[in-house]
Amino acid sequence: MERTRRDLLARTGATFAAAGAAGVAGCLDFAAGDGPQGEEGTPETLSCEDGEFVRLAQPFEGEVAGTLVEVGETTIELSSEGNSETYGQPIRLVLRNTGDEPATTLGRHAYSLQRETAEGWLDVRGSTTGEAVELPRSEESFDSTGAYSWSIDLEETAIASAVPDLDLSVCPPLGPGTYRFVYWGVVDAPPLGAQFELIG
């Protein structure tokens, strides 16, 4: 039994090796059975005790279109592996240009990771500097057959570090409930979203 546990920890730790020591520590905590520490279900809102924490604002207006949008003469599609994801394991998504013409996007980091609350959908991430920040964005051509792919481990450290060169944190801790990944970076098109349940 102990050998099996050591083997599991070794394999899991290897998965996080590229993410750095913080990612490994988070993974080992999960393997040890800690699981999600946040409130379960649909909270009233997302509150953070850190007085320097400033939550990322929602950078889009209106409704999320779903997983498919038409823009110009082409079609953009967001796909995910499933609608139920386990804390500590990766959520994998792909945004594809499935049409015959290029589109314009704001880059691979133009996304929100939101939790459903009684107050509405709120990003789980925020700045730790006491000031509001914006996610990096710059217009680029998203050619026919082009794609962005994400594999983000569903734990606090990995989510916060998924955007390089930006000091982010996740607060409060993730809890079992309803979440969605929203890509809002397709220029002149509504945002696309993939909803999922986070389980312990």
Side-chain angles (χ1 to χ4, degrees):
M1 179 70 178
E2 182 60 26
R3 182 177 178 182
T4 301
R5 183 174 180 274
R6 286 199 305 269
D7 291 344
L8 174 61
L9 290 176
R11 289 196 304 271
T12 311
T15 301
F16 277 77
V24 173
C27 181
L28 294 178
D29 287 345
F30 169 70
D34 285 355
Q37 302 297 305
E39 184 177 350
E40 185 174 358
T42 305
E44 285 298 315
T45 189
L46 298 181
S47 299
C48 184
E49 296 180 359
D50 182 352
E52 295 296 301
F53 184 85
V54 180
R55 192 167 306 284
L56 291 180
Q58 180 170 291
F60 59 89
E61 298 179 356
E63 297 297 319
V64 174
T67 59
L68 195 72
V69 296
E70 303 287 338
V71 53
E73 300 298 320
T74 199
T75 303
I76 308 296
E77 180 180 5
L78 177 67
S79 60
S80 60
E81 286 189 341
N83 55 16
S84 181
E85 305 291 346
T86 303
Y87 177 82
Q89 298 302 304
I91 180 173
R92 296 186 174 92
L93 307 106
V94 179
L95 184 78
R96 293 185 178 90
N97 182 343
T98 60
D100 298 324
E101 299 293 331
T104 301
T105 70
L106 299 178
R108 63 178 292 104
H109 300 298
Y111 68 83
S112 299
L113 188 56
Q114 300 178 320
R115 183 170 185 182
E116 185 179 32
T117 74
E119 185 180 314
W121 291 97
L122 298 175
D123 205 303
V124 301
R125 303 164 299 169
S127 165
T128 58
T129 64
E131 298 181 355
V133 298
E134 290 187 350
L135 295 168
R137 63 186 84 178
S138 59
E139 289 194 5
E140 58 187 52
S141 179
F142 194 56
D143 295 334
S144 175
T145 72
Y148 296 142
S149 62
W150 298 270
S151 179
I152 304 171
D153 297 306
L154 291 171
E155 58 90 23
E156 291 78 5
T157 302
I159 290 171
S161 62
V163 179
D165 303 320
L166 200 60
D167 190 10
L168 296 177
S169 181
V170 172
C171 192
L174 303 177
T178 304
Y179 294 75
R180 68 181 183 181
F181 177 98
V182 180
Y183 185 80
W184 41 264
V186 181
V187 176
D188 296 327
L192 300 98
Q195 187 170 309
F196 63 95
E197 295 296 319
L198 180 65
I199 58 178

